C-alpha cells in the first residue's frame, strides 16, 4: 500500500512503513501525514512492526508541527513499534529538528538505528525479519 502527498511519501512493505518526508511542512501537512500514516499502519497493529524515516529531503519546518509529530511518535510506541531506522542528511539543523520532532520516552526494547542509504536500511530490516527478501521475477515459458 502506498500514499503520496506533496510533503511525504508512505509505503507499507511487509511489517515496515517507509516514510519519505519532503520539503517544508505546514500544520495541514503534518495533520495529513498523521492521518495517512495511521491508516497505512492499521493492518500492522497487534504485532511488532518497523518504521524507516527518511528525512534527507525534508527542510526545516515551523515549530508548530512538533506537537503533532511528537504525538504520532508516542502513538507508534503505544502500538508496538519495535524497530526504527532513520535516514538523516548531513544538515545539522534538519537533524536537530528531526530529533526534536521524535523525542518521546522510548521503551527499552525499541531498536533505533541510522542508515546511510535505502539499501542499508533494507538489509537491516531483512536481518531483523521485518521485510522479506525480494522474490525473483517469474520466468515465462513461451
Amino acid at each position: 500500500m502506498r500514499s503520496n502527498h506533496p510533503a511525504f511519501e508512505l509505503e507499507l512493505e511487509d511489517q515496515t512503513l517507509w516514510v519519505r518526508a519532503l520539503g517544508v511542512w505546514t500544520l495541514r501537512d503534518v495533520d495529513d501525514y498523521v492521518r495517512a500514516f495511521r491508516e497505512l499502519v492499521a493492518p500492522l497493529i497487534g504485532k511488532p512492526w518497523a518504521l524507516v524515516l527518511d528525512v534527507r529531503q525534508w527542510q526545516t519546518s515551523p515549530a508548530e508541527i512538533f506537537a503533532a509529530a511528537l504525538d504520532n511518535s508516542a502513538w507508534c510506541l503505544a502500538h508496538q513499534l519495535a524497530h526504527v531506522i532513520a535516514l538523516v542528511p548531513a544538515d545539522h539543523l534538519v537533524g536537530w529538528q528531526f530529533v526534536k520532532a521524535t523525542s518521546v520516552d522510548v521503551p527499552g526494547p525499541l531498536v533505533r538505528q541510522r542508515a546511510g542509504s535505502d539499501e542499508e536500511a533494507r538489509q537491516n530490516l531483512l536481518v531483523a525479519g521485518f521485510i522479506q527478501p525480494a522474490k525473483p521475477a517469474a520466468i515465462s515459458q513461451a
Side-chain angles (χ1 to χ4, degrees):
M1 289 194 306
R2 182 182 215 56
S3 178
N4 289 321
H5 184 280
F8 58 84
E9 296 170 358
L10 307 174
E11 184 172 359
L12 189 62
E13 178 184 359
D14 299 325
Q15 294 299 115
T16 300
L17 181 64
W18 293 79
V19 174
R20 187 174 317 275
L22 308 165
V24 176
W25 283 18
T26 64
L27 275 176
R28 181 176 177 114
D29 293 328
V30 76
D31 288 344
D32 290 347
Y33 166 74
V34 168
R35 188 171 24 271
F37 182 108
R38 292 180 185 184
E39 184 178 304
L40 279 177
V41 169
L44 304 180
I45 301 301
K47 53 193 164 202
W49 54 283
L51 175 61
V52 177
L53 293 168
D54 182 351
V55 295
R56 294 174 294 181
Q57 296 177 42
W58 194 39
Q59 297 175 15
T60 53
S61 299
E64 62 194 13
I65 71 159
F66 290 158
L70 286 168
D71 178 69
N72 198 56
S73 294
W75 181 90
C76 290
L77 294 171
H79 290 87
Q80 291 187 285
L81 175 63
H83 197 119
V84 176
I85 299 177
L87 295 155
V88 183
D91 182 322
H92 295 295
L93 187 55
V94 172
W96 172 83
Q97 189 167 35
F98 171 73
V99 169
K100 187 110 169 119
T102 58
S103 289
V104 294
D105 289 334
V106 177
L110 179 71
V111 174
R112 294 186 290 182
Q113 298 175 313
R114 285 201 178 194
S117 67
D118 289 5
E119 187 53 38
E120 182 182 350
R122 180 169 292 288
Q123 289 298 352
N124 290 344
L125 292 166
L126 278 166
V127 169
F130 288 102
I131 60 173
Q132 301 303 312
K135 296 177 184 163
I139 299 173
S140 63
Q141 298 289 327

